[in-house]
Amino acid sequence: MPIEKDKVVTLHYALIDADNDLTLEKSGADAPMVYLHGAGNILAGLEHALEGKDSGDRLTVSLDPEQAYGRRDESLRQRLSAKYLKHAGKLKPGKIVRVQTEQGPRMVTVLKVGLKTVDVDANHPFAGRPLRFELEVIDVRDADADEKAHGHVHGPGGHAH
């Protein structure tokens, strides 16, 4: 069954920084990624590359920063009062914490911790990096009506309500 809109796709992946051939993330042998194709749940460039593929297919997809997590935006580096991050517990550089912004909740990476201030970066951790994805399609199935209505996969590997 080829991958197309409203198919549930199960796959293994490795996400690699293309500049230095460093593996940034990968699915576990017993924990493949599961997503609803055509619902915008993965990067558009990956979704496009997977279109028409089938169980057992392997592929490599290279994305430049604009196709992946965007270019780094230095205006997203900010100094915050430490009181806004008390909920996050002990802070140290590299820790990712949630902050409330005017645009809603956002994840930020702690850069530097001072006595009263904390420097954070709201760029996605992979922003500005050319990325390579090594993919192996494990399974493709039809999405059920609830999955289509909710825009995501339910059950094992997906979302539970």
Side-chain angles (χ1 to χ4, degrees):
M1 173 181 302
I3 297 173
E4 57 188 33
K5 184 170 175 40
D6 294 332
K7 300 293 185 192
V8 173
V9 179
T10 302
L11 57 83
H12 281 294
Y13 73 93
L15 169 58
I16 300 156
D17 183 323
D19 278 345
N20 58 23
D21 214 31
L22 174 69
T23 299
L24 302 170
E25 189 177 284
K26 65 181 181 176
S27 58
D30 59 345
M33 183 177 90
V34 182
Y35 78 96
L36 178 61
H37 194 79
N41 296 321
I42 64 171
L43 295 171
L46 288 181
E47 204 164 62
H48 177 73
L50 285 161
E51 188 82 22
K53 301 297 186 235
D54 208 335
S55 295
D57 286 348
R58 292 175 179 260
L59 62 151
T60 299
V61 180
S62 295
L63 301 176
D64 62 27
E66 292 81 11
Q67 297 169 306
Y69 295 100
R71 294 270 172 210
R72 291 191 55 74
D73 179 350
E74 293 308 314
S75 72
L76 295 177
R77 293 174 64 119
Q78 298 177 355
R79 179 165 286 162
L80 303 176
S81 172
K83 70 181 178 182
Y84 294 118
L85 298 173
K86 282 185 180 183
H87 67 280
K90 182 155 177 65
L91 299 174
K92 63 180 182 176
K95 183 173 183 176
I96 297 175
V97 298
R98 173 176 269 176
V99 296
Q100 188 63 36
T101 71
E102 292 174 358
Q103 294 81 33
R106 187 167 202 154
M107 302 307 286
V108 299
T109 303
V110 174
L111 300 174
K112 180 180 174 187
V113 180
L115 290 175
K116 295 184 179 184
T117 62
V118 179
D119 291 351
V120 299
D121 184 350
N123 283 288
H124 188 282
F126 303 148
R129 294 181 175 185
L131 301 173
R132 186 174 74 244
F133 292 83
E134 303 287 338
L135 307 169
E136 178 185 5
V137 180
I138 304 300
D139 187 49
V140 181
R141 69 167 173 82
D142 291 320
D144 66 32
D146 281 342
E147 290 171 326
K148 291 177 193 176
H150 293 168
H152 58 253
V153 178
H154 294 167
H159 182 74
H161 287 274

